Amino acid sequence: MAKMATREAYGKALAELVCENPKVVVLDADLSKSTKTADAKAVCPERHFNVGIAEGNMMGIAAGLATCGNIVYASSFAMFAAGRAYEQVRNSIGYTHLNVKICATHAGITLGEDGASHQSIEDIALMRSIPGMTVLQPSDDIETKQMIKAISEMNGPCYVRLGRSAVETVNAEDYKYELGKGVVLREGKDITLIATGMMVQEAMKAAALLAEQGIEVSVINIHTIKPLDEALILKYAQRSKLVVTCEEHSKFGGLGSAVAETLSKNHPTKMAMVAINDTFGESGTPAALIEKYGLTAKDVFNTVMNSIQP
Amino acid sequence: MLSNQELAKIAKRIRRNIIKMVTNAKSGHIGGAFSATEIAVSLYFNEMNITAENVKDKARDKFVLSKGHASALLFAVLSEKGFLPEEELLTFRKINSNLQGHPNMNYVTGVDMSTGSLGQGLSTAVGMALSYKLHQQDFRVYSIVGDGESEEGQIWEAAMAAAHYKLDNLCAILDMNGLQIDGDVTEVMNPFPLDKKFEAFGWHVLHVDGHDYDQLHHAYAQARTLKGKPTMIIAKTVKGKGVSFMENDYMWHGVAPSAEQAEAALKELED
């Protein structure tokens, strides 16, 4: 199975987009080789600005550029884009509802060896709480490429959560991305797994393991965390005895919270969350980290099994 | 170009409106609005090309009130320009009003950037000036920054970037009134010498009396001719300028006058 990091796919998509659309301006804060905006710089250096290690200022510059009609893609690691620059994003981009696409890479613990100081496990919660902010997280390269282009046609701010490590391609070649619509990757009558980002591949593997036990699960890829595809989630919750959310994010305020908010209001359903506990990460390989912090297919499998025990 | 006498009349009307707005709202920032009044008036009525015809354009001369606390000044100026009905000024800071405590660009025609959280406005002005350079558009960007505001680190990030990108289409005016909400800026957290700091960051620095139209206009004209660098006009100002009992008193940073004080202030501001 093909594997590519979503940040790699972002770099390729942005390099194409910047050539196609003269309104696109790219900003980076001294991480262009890591965030992959360097790809856009290579083909269109005049519309790529490296603002240096100053993320708050980058968000302000992005806002100013957007007021003049530019479509701005601003990148850094998720920790600095959503964390350090939170208030600049909130006031200069969110409150103004300007056309800035914050494409944040190295989200979650699969950032790996740099450790907890760089592992953003709170960014979905932070960005989701900003009024009018669209929050996206692609599951693979195919989805990323289409998403990056789709958001150039959407007016207003959005936050795109991208990963450092390679993930499996889970979508078909003829996949058609639609902003705001969840994607059913597998149909099963008993249980629904709702996953986002790199956890989609883990959920798919868990579904196969569960099928071996005679448990049929649906798997929904939620690439648009906000606004959430409530209709699809409700439809599947209504026919499931259990909903399990899967995300590489804190248990507080992420996809699990978003799904719980809608289900508790519309159709209370038994839920379990596969997510990071109330703890910081640490240095290690991405593989070792997802194992230690409970984000593997096996963890999804065990969560389902433990939740359906009588 | 309006004469100094005409500008002075406009400034008096604006100051009277600010007194009325803040008194009516029972909150707001008079001191820092009055210190920057001549700066804003000189920009909007003589320096910048902003008219009823182009005010809705995405690209034109732009203004960012980085010290967004002086929102009453911006709203009063926009009203004087004819972009905002004068009667709407009395809704300032009230529920359901477009005139928020700090300016919102989506609610009021002519507000070029939402500001209020100190330090962020100058970065957005850098973004605008960068856009005009990128697209080879011959517009200029102006921003009023506070001396207290310069305690924010983001001001220096923006200053660094403006010089790095050689934004000679950016002209910032530092409203140096010497006071912030907790007292004298030199006592709270001394940001001086601001001229040497901006010079060291790569800016042209000019000094003016921020209440003298001739000096302000001369500085703007000079800034237009200075190439390769942004310009910072350090404007020595008086907080609360124009009302004797408000001048140079930090207690007038963010409190509303009583009815009697407002009456006395309006009397001093009569033509």
Side-chain angles (χ1 to χ4, degrees):
Chain A
M1 194 175 272
K3 283 192 98 172
M4 186 190 280
T6 51
R7 68 176 165 131
E8 299 266 1
Y10 163 57
K12 291 180 197 310
L14 191 62
E16 284 177 21
L17 186 64
V18 79
C19 294
E20 290 163 10
N21 190 338
K23 285 185 174 178
V24 170
V25 177
V26 182
L27 300 181
D28 206 303
D30 194 41
L31 287 168
S32 63
K33 290 180 196 73
S34 302
T35 62
K36 300 297 174 189
T37 68
D39 294 357
K41 185 179 183 177
V43 293
C44 188
E46 66 276 17
R47 274 184 280 125
H48 182 287
F49 295 94
N50 191 335
V51 304
I53 310 168
E55 296 80 10
N57 188 43
M58 175 171 74
M59 296 307 175
I61 291 177
L65 281 161
T67 64
C68 299
N70 300 286
I71 304 169
V72 187
Y73 285 69
S75 280
S76 181
F77 287 1
M79 178 59 71
F80 314 123
R84 185 186 193 90
Y86 172 77
E87 203 250 0
Q88 284 85 356
V89 171
R90 194 262 187 200
N91 275 322
S92 288
I93 295 171
Y95 183 45
T96 53
H97 205 72
L98 284 166
N99 216 359
V100 177
K101 321 300 176 186
I102 301 158
C103 296
T105 66
H106 295 65
I109 58 168
T110 53
L111 164 136
E113 293 81 351
D114 279 352
S117 62
H118 285 54
Q119 292 165 346
S120 176
I121 54 174
E122 311 89 350
D123 52 320
I124 296 175
L126 287 167
M127 291 297 112
R128 207 164 70 83
S129 65
I130 296 176
M133 181 67 78
T134 294
V135 181
L136 307 169
Q137 178 167 229
S139 58
D140 70 1
D141 55 328
I142 290 173
E143 192 164 74
T144 303
K145 285 177 190 162
Q146 295 187 39
M147 178 187 284
I148 294 305
K149 294 199 176 176
I151 57 176
S152 72
E153 285 153 26
M154 175 206 107
N155 191 44
C158 65
Y159 179 78
V160 183
R161 190 176 201 248
L162 302 161
R164 174 198 169 206
S165 305
V167 287
E168 289 163 13
T169 300
V170 292
N171 293 293
E173 280 299 329
D174 63 351
Y175 172 77
K176 290 275 179 289
Y177 176 77
E178 203 179 338
L179 199 128
K181 296 286 180 202
V183 181
V184 180
L185 288 171
R186 183 179 173 124
E187 295 275 4
K189 60 180 176 24
D190 301 330
I191 285 162
T192 300
L193 306 182
I194 302 176
T196 185
M198 57 75 73
M199 288 306 290
V200 174
Q201 65 183 5
E202 301 303 318
M204 288 298 283
K205 282 187 235 168
L209 295 173
L210 289 160
E212 287 170 18
Q213 304 296 315
I215 300 164
E216 292 302 328
V217 306
S218 299
V219 177
I220 300 175
N221 163 26
I222 292 292
H223 51 66
T224 305
I225 298 166
K226 184 187 170 188
L228 192 64
D229 189 348
E230 293 192 328
L232 184 75
I233 288 170
L234 276 175
K235 181 178 157 193
Y236 277 78
Q238 276 160 358
R239 63 195 213 199
S240 303
K241 59 184 175 189
L242 173 70
V243 168
V244 178
T245 56
C246 311
E247 62 191 313
E248 187 195 8
H249 185 272
S250 161
K251 280 185 175 163
F252 304 107
L255 175 68
S257 299
V259 170
E261 284 157 19
T262 192
L263 290 185
S264 62
K265 182 175 65 183
N266 297 302
H267 184 79
T269 307
K270 187 174 179 185
M271 270 188 76
M273 293 182 195
V274 176
I276 298 167
N277 286 321
D278 192 17
T279 180
F280 291 104
E282 65 181 80
S283 292
T285 63
L289 284 160
I290 63 168
E291 191 162 330
K292 177 162 176 178
Y293 289 86
L295 298 176
T296 65
K298 190 78 189 158
D299 295 298
V300 178
F301 174 88
N302 289 340
T303 301
V304 170
M305 296 306 281
N306 293 338
S307 302
I308 59 174
Q309 297 298 328
Chain B
M1 187 125 171
L2 297 181
S3 69
N4 289 354
Q5 286 72 21
E6 288 168 305
L7 295 176
K9 277 197 154 190
I10 291 170
K12 271 201 171 162
R13 279 203 297 274
I14 285 170
R15 281 197 172 93
R16 287 200 295 270
N17 271 332
I18 293 168
I19 291 286
K20 290 176 196 164
M21 290 164 76
V22 173
T23 306
N24 188 55
K26 299 189 177 68
S27 74
H29 300 83
I30 293 176
F34 279 11
S35 64
T37 299
E38 280 73 23
I39 300 168
V41 167
S42 58
L43 286 172
Y44 272 93
F45 293 91
N46 273 343
E47 176 63 13
M48 297 191 294
N49 180 16
I50 300 179
T51 63
E53 289 71 45
N54 73 9
V55 68
K56 292 203 162 119
D57 293 356
K58 276 197 189 304
R60 55 160 166 75
D61 283 351
K62 287 206 181 179
F63 173 74
V64 178
L65 184 65
S66 197
K67 44 169 277 181
H69 295 56
S71 52
L73 168 63
L74 181 57
F75 297 144
V77 165
L78 294 176
S79 167
E80 194 69 30
K81 287 287 284 186
F83 306 147
L84 185 64
E86 192 171 13
E87 56 272 21
E88 200 178 330
L89 292 178
L90 289 181
T91 68
F92 178 55
R93 287 179 166 249
K94 304 257 190 196
I95 196 79
N96 299 324
S97 171
N98 291 322
L99 309 186
Q100 293 294 296
H102 298 85
N104 180 310
M105 64 185 290
N106 296 319
Y107 299 168
V108 182
T109 300
V111 173
D112 295 340
M113 186 64 209
S114 304
T115 53
S117 179
L118 293 176
Q120 297 191 25
L122 190 59
S123 295
T124 65
V126 168
M128 293 170 187
L130 189 62
S131 181
Y132 295 154
K133 284 280 176 195
L134 173 64
H135 299 294
Q136 293 163 347
Q137 290 167 307
D138 193 21
F139 301 115
R140 293 181 66 73
V141 181
Y142 294 86
S143 182
I144 299 180
V145 178
D147 50 1
E149 184 184 16
S150 303
E151 292 163 5
E152 286 281 4
Q154 193 176 344
I155 289 294
W156 303 101
E157 295 183 3
M160 200 187 310
H164 183 81
Y165 296 124
K166 303 183 170 55
L167 301 179
D168 50 21
N169 55 349
L170 174 64
C171 177
I173 303 95
L174 194 125
D175 176 12
M176 194 172 70
N177 62 35
L179 299 171
Q180 58 192 112
I181 193 166
D182 271 352
D184 193 300
V185 291
T186 59
E187 282 168 28
V188 177
M189 178 49 67
N190 190 354
F192 300 129
L194 284 166
D195 50 357
K196 289 196 176 66
K197 286 193 177 83
F198 277 102
E199 264 164 19
F201 272 75
W203 290 54
H204 287 292
V205 175
L206 304 172
H207 289 270
V208 299
D209 173 340
H211 303 297
D212 184 315
Y213 290 116
D214 289 336
Q215 290 188 32
L216 285 164
H217 291 143
H218 183 69
Y220 302 145
Q222 231 185 314
R224 283 176 179 275
T225 65
L226 295 169
K227 296 299 168 199
K229 289 180 176 186
T231 296
M232 176 60 74
I233 299 171
I234 303 223
K236 179 76 191 78
T237 60
V238 173
K239 194 153 183 163
K241 173 78 175 178
V243 174
S244 57
F245 59 90
M246 292 180 174
E247 289 188 357
N248 285 318
D249 183 352
Y250 75 89
M251 292 306 290
W252 284 103
H253 172 94
V255 292
S258 66
E260 296 73 37
Q261 288 169 324
E263 202 181 325
L266 289 172
K267 207 169 188 89
E268 288 193 29
L269 293 167
E270 276 173 15
D271 281 319

